[in-house]
Amino acid sequence: MDDIAEQPLFQPQDIESSATFRFLRKINDIHGLDLKTYYDLYKWSTAHLDLFWGQVWDETGVVGQKGSHVVDNAAPPVANPTWFADAQVNWAENMLRCRSVDKVALIEATEPTPEDPEPRLRRITYAELYNLVADVASALLHHGVRPGDRVASYSSNCIENVAACLATSAIGGIWVSAAADFGSEGVMERFEQVQPKFIFAVDAVVYNHKVHKHLPKLSGLLSGLADKISPPKVVIISVLSHQSSRETWEKDWLSWEDFVGQGRESHLGRAEDGEIKWHRTAFDAPLWILFSSGTTGRPKPIVHRAGGMLLQAKKEFEICGDLRPDDVFFYYTTTGWMMWNFLVSGLTIGCTLVLYDGSPLRDVSLLWKMVDDLGITIFGTSAKYLDQLSKHYRPREHHSLHTLRHIYSTGSPLAPPLFDYVYEHVHPKVLLGSITGGTDICSLFAGMCSALPVYRGEIQCRMLGMAVESFAPTGTLNPPGEPGELVCVRPFPCMPLGFWPLPGFGTEVEIKAAQDRFYQSYFSEFKDVWYHGDHIIITRSKSGNGGGLIMLGRSDGVLNPGGIRFGSAEIYEVLDICFTNTAGEFIVTDYLAVGQKIDGGADERVILFVKLPPGHSLTPDFEKKVKAEIRARRSPRHVPAQIIQVSDIPYTLNGKRVEVLVKKIINGAPLSSVNPATLSNPECLTFYRDIGEELRRACPRVRGL
């Protein structure tokens, strides 16, 4: 990687005063050690998981009962060991430690529209948020929600959504969220698996300078769920009340205001002294379910443990990132992306969070104006956003941005030229934290550290307590600089409990299937260790960081356009529903969806290959119809950039489509890298090689691998 500069782009001013080195000195004092560098601390943290994570609990002031047990330090990751077996905690209680009547907890901003060119900012203090959460918790209890019940959201990024999440946790419920831009069928695939007792939804959303009514999508979701689960209670949040009429509501829907009023009257969620009746659970109790699609089957319902989410956020924000109560923390995200959970977890710091609903690029100056207007100090976004911005906008020429301390980027690898762009055209002294983790762990494997330099093209470091390594295909450890598979060779507290249903929440057959799928997803590739599906390089150590990370992209068949990951199965199901079981002009007999790298590897676009019946050709009308159905039933991100007719789809001898292989070929891998003995029809790969060359020539932004 000769293009990775050895000179740092950012150098911390006072390493010794950083939160990381304060923690290092405390470890030295307590355990009689002489750790000197970040890497010294990192190695100790991954060798002594019990001592490290126990000290993280103490250092960050977790509210709850800790107990004496932390973890079996000898357990392999595949054992998914119990953490803090004697602990009792509540995630929301730790989010609402601040009760200030003056400190703003949340600021909600909305994209302007022609009808509302200067939408007002909504603000809520920590004291107001606490009272709102207490009322929502009381209302949920009033309607019979109990610990372990699922409460779902099909909503925009608004204050009410945060309050509903906190209230669900407060009473021991399990939170489930889907973004409002998801098609109703995609949401149905998720919600039918977890059977929520409640659904919170907005009546409208703003995107790309327009107001989009949301209730028709909600009605479609409820109709699809009607014969699959018990009817959930529905609460409508009127984001744009003047755009909505209750004439379109079902008679049993509740308004947010009426629902909160019921809770205020019932007081079921409060003790006599006014304190919320926090339902403290085991450290390993489920907190929320996030969905990540593999390449086959339904979206995977990943269950995250309450204590793991809490302790990881505490470590990442307080010890590694050095976030402070006076920070103003913004992350551009929808409610269906794990970065929403990441952002909301910032409440545990007592800082101010900024929620934004709308397009980030319709007016490229909008988010940067928000930085100046709101004093944003921590700005979170995606590599795709920075790439698009770099083509035509230089924020430093139009905005002060003097409050910025950190910029975080995730979703896809941040290309080296984008590091240059940020330091030249956004802020010369900001900590640019490229971070990586995923929905699977809802936190970070590698990312930011305020005590370390930033080098061009590299993630700063492996996070404390996360024993990340690079494995060769044989399962052996790679030396620095060699590309390989991202693995974690020690357990970590944000490891999911499993896939839903957990034991006690389903039949024996369902639970066994979920357990088998969980094992196959993360532990079947390499014996005993966590396999994440990212292709990486761990660089040589510089400035005591133990080596940064260079992300080379996904190593499996997951699609990742614009930093939004989903499985090809989500596209395939639309084709199955709309185009394979119908008579008439629009028929598809087989299909294959893969990602093609573009923008120097910063992003990818979806290429859909379709096989049609003999004598049929792919017409513009056919292509338009396919794209329209995918957009309506999934989301705009799912729509293929190109649809290409093929004569054959490659399969393995076991009858599986070979997505990963085709992805590699269209991105430039030679046919000589293919073992034809593993395929039933290897002769068809010549077409994909040729079409790959055409696609790369036709798209000059494409990067060959």
Side-chain angles (χ1 to χ4, degrees):
M1 305 295 282
D2 295 333
D3 61 331
I4 305 301
E6 292 299 315
Q7 294 300 314
L9 298 173
F10 164 85
Q11 183 74 51
Q13 293 299 307
D14 186 1
I15 293 174
E16 292 300 320
S17 68
S18 67
T20 301
F21 272 74
R22 291 198 301 270
F23 183 75
L24 179 149
R25 289 192 293 272
K26 184 163 290 188
I27 294 297
N28 282 340
D29 291 343
I30 293 172
H31 298 287
L33 301 174
D34 189 29
L35 308 177
K36 290 184 170 60
T37 67
Y38 176 88
Y39 188 47
D40 289 341
L41 178 61
Y42 172 77
K43 286 190 295 183
W44 180 86
S45 74
T46 56
H48 305 277
L49 297 177
D50 49 354
L51 299 178
F52 169 72
W53 287 106
Q55 190 58 42
V56 170
W57 178 300
D58 296 339
E59 179 73 9
T60 60
V62 171
V63 177
Q65 176 184 324
K66 179 183 178 184
S68 59
H69 172 270
V70 177
V71 70
D72 177 1
N73 203 49
V78 71
N80 203 355
T82 298
W83 289 84
F84 293 89
D86 307 318
Q88 291 288 305
V89 292
N90 184 279
W91 178 82
E93 183 180 10
N94 281 271
M95 295 301 113
L96 294 176
R97 294 173 62 187
C98 179
R99 309 281 176 85
S100 172
V101 297
D102 300 315
K103 181 63 181 293
V104 174
L106 303 172
I107 302 174
E108 180 187 319
T110 306
E111 182 183 3
T113 65
E115 297 79 14
D116 190 7
E118 295 184 5
R120 70 181 181 91
L121 295 171
R122 297 177 64 206
R123 289 180 169 87
I124 187 169
T125 67
Y126 270 93
E128 292 168 335
L129 179 60
Y130 180 86
N131 288 324
L132 178 59
V133 169
D135 291 339
V136 176
S138 295
L140 289 170
L141 292 170
H142 173 73
H143 285 277
V145 175
R146 296 292 180 262
D149 285 343
R150 278 73 64 207
V151 175
S153 163
Y154 188 19
S155 179
S156 60
N157 191 11
C158 59
I159 289 171
E160 290 83 357
N161 203 63
V162 175
C165 175
L166 291 166
T168 299
S169 167
I171 64 173
I174 303 173
W175 181 251
V176 186
S177 184
D181 65 340
F182 276 26
S184 58
E185 291 200 15
V187 180
M188 183 185 69
E189 288 178 344
R190 289 156 170 78
F191 286 5
E192 69 174 326
Q193 296 187 66
V194 300
Q195 303 186 18
K197 199 164 187 175
F198 259 86
I199 295 178
F200 291 90
V202 290
D203 58 3
V205 295
V206 175
Y207 193 83
N208 205 22
H209 216 44
K210 296 178 182 178
V211 176
H212 304 268
K213 293 182 179 179
H214 188 60
L215 295 186
K217 292 169 72 173
L218 173 64
S219 295
L221 167 64
L222 296 171
S223 177
L225 291 174
D227 60 349
K228 295 180 173 65
I229 68 172
S230 298
K233 276 283 185 183
V234 175
V235 177
I236 304 298
I237 302 163
S238 294
V239 176
L240 300 170
S241 56
H242 62 283
Q243 295 284 346
S244 152
S245 170
R246 292 200 185 186
E247 295 175 1
T248 61
W249 289 25
E250 298 294 333
K251 65 179 186 298
D252 56 347
W253 292 358
L254 286 169
S255 72
W256 172 264
E257 292 75 17
D258 290 344
F259 179 73
V260 173
Q262 290 176 348
R264 191 176 299 121
E265 292 176 4
S266 73
H267 294 286
L268 289 175
R270 287 188 186 264
E272 289 185 4
D273 62 358
E275 182 77 5
I276 292 174
K277 293 180 181 178
W278 306 106
H279 182 83
R280 289 187 178 178
T281 65
F283 188 95
D284 284 353
L287 173 65
W288 50 49
I289 299 172
L290 303 184
F291 289 89
S292 177
S293 298
T295 56
T296 59
R298 295 189 299 175
K300 298 179 294 188
I302 306 169
V303 189
H304 291 283
R305 64 190 89 201
M309 292 294 93
L310 173 62
L311 209 58
Q312 276 281 37
K314 290 275 194 182
K315 178 204 68 177
E316 291 169 356
F317 291 150
E318 295 189 37
I319 296 175
C320 296
D322 209 356
L323 270 66
R324 308 157 190 166
D326 60 353
D327 275 316
V328 180
F329 182 15
F330 165 78
Y331 216 109
Y332 179 77
T333 179
T334 70
T335 60
W337 191 20
M338 65 146 281
M339 300 316 297
W340 183 86
N341 306 71
F342 182 84
L343 172 65
V344 173
S345 296
L347 289 170
T348 195
I349 306 297
C351 61
T352 298
L353 307 186
V354 178
L355 315 174
Y356 173 71
D357 191 41
S359 169
L361 288 167
R362 179 65 167 77
D363 174 0
V364 292
S365 70
L366 183 59
L367 298 187
W368 303 103
K369 184 176 185 299
M370 281 172 46
V371 171
D372 286 344
D373 291 348
L374 303 179
I376 291 171
T377 58
I378 313 295
F379 184 97
T381 184
S382 67
K384 177 61 177 174
Y385 170 79
L386 292 174
D387 180 64
Q388 291 295 314
L389 199 72
S390 70
K391 293 174 170 53
H392 52 76
Y393 196 67
R394 298 178 175 182
R396 281 186 68 194
E397 296 180 0
H398 307 280
H399 309 279
S400 168
L401 309 182
H402 69 279
T403 60
L404 276 181
R405 292 201 302 122
H406 297 180
I407 294 177
Y408 299 154
S409 170
T410 192
S412 57
L414 189 65
L418 293 179
F419 281 73
D420 302 333
Y421 167 75
V422 167
Y423 284 103
E424 291 175 13
H425 301 301
V426 180
H427 198 297
K429 297 181 180 180
V430 74
L431 188 160
L432 176 56
S434 180
I435 59 180
T436 187
T439 302
D440 315 81
I441 65 168
C442 198
S443 52
L444 308 179
F445 279 124
M448 71 287 190
C449 179
S450 64
L452 291 173
V454 174
Y455 290 92
R456 184 176 187 263
E458 291 189 27
I459 297 175
Q460 285 179 285
C461 59
R462 291 169 282 182
M463 302 299 277
L464 296 176
M466 307 296 282
V468 172
E469 299 289 357
S470 168
F471 268 19
T474 57
T476 56
L477 194 65
N478 277 324
E482 288 294 322
E485 300 298 328
L486 190 159
V487 297
C488 199
V489 299
R490 301 296 309 279
F492 46 94
C494 62
M495 187 184 295
L497 290 166
F499 293 159
W500 191 264
L502 299 178
F505 291 96
T507 67
E508 288 186 13
V509 172
E510 291 170 335
I511 293 167
K512 179 63 164 58
Q515 291 172 335
D516 289 346
R517 193 180 184 199
F518 183 74
Y519 175 84
Q520 289 297 323
S521 296
Y522 305 116
F523 300 107
S524 61
E525 187 75 17
F526 300 110
K527 189 178 187 306
D528 288 347
V529 306
W530 176 281
Y531 163 76
H532 198 61
D534 279 333
H535 209 49
I536 65 167
I537 291 174
I538 299 177
T539 65
R540 296 184 304 277
S541 183
K542 298 185 288 290
S543 303
N545 71 346
L549 256 71
I550 298 172
M551 304 302 295
L552 303 177
R554 293 293 289 174
S555 53
D556 55 19
V558 172
L559 300 168
N560 193 24
I564 306 300
R565 295 179 177 179
F566 55 88
S568 55
E570 297 194 26
I571 294 177
Y572 297 163
E573 187 164 18
V574 175
L575 299 176
D576 285 337
I577 292 171
C578 302
F579 301 104
T580 62
N581 298 317
T582 59
E585 180 182 358
F586 303 115
I587 300 174
V588 175
T589 59
D590 206 351
Y591 40 72
L592 181 78
V594 297
Q596 180 195 17
K597 296 294 182 184
I598 60 173
D599 296 344
D603 197 9
E604 69 178 32
R605 60 178 187 169
V606 177
I607 307 296
L608 175 62
F609 298 101
V610 294
K611 183 178 179 180
L612 306 181
H616 286 65
S617 298
L618 183 63
T619 64
D621 285 345
F622 193 175
E623 185 172 353
K624 184 177 180 181
K625 176 72 172 174
V626 171
K627 289 183 176 181
E629 290 289 354
I630 293 172
R631 178 183 295 271
R633 294 171 181 269
R634 290 295 180 263
S635 80
R637 295 288 192 192
H638 290 70
V639 177
Q642 287 202 31
I643 302 176
I644 298 171
Q645 183 175 354
V646 297
S647 60
D648 206 1
I649 301 292
Y651 279 84
T652 67
L653 296 175
N654 294 327
K656 294 183 179 180
R657 294 185 185 90
V658 289
E659 294 173 337
V660 175
L661 180 57
V662 170
K663 179 177 180 177
K664 290 179 178 178
I665 289 172
I666 70 164
N667 283 292
L671 289 185
S672 59
S673 64
V674 178
N675 179 3
T678 62
L679 303 179
S680 62
N681 52 345
E683 65 280 356
C684 72
L685 293 181
T686 303
F687 171 85
Y688 293 93
R689 178 201 62 193
D690 296 340
I691 199 66
E693 293 176 357
E694 290 185 27
L695 289 169
R696 296 194 298 278
R697 281 198 303 269
C699 185
R701 297 178 298 160
V702 169
R703 180 188 72 170
L705 297 181

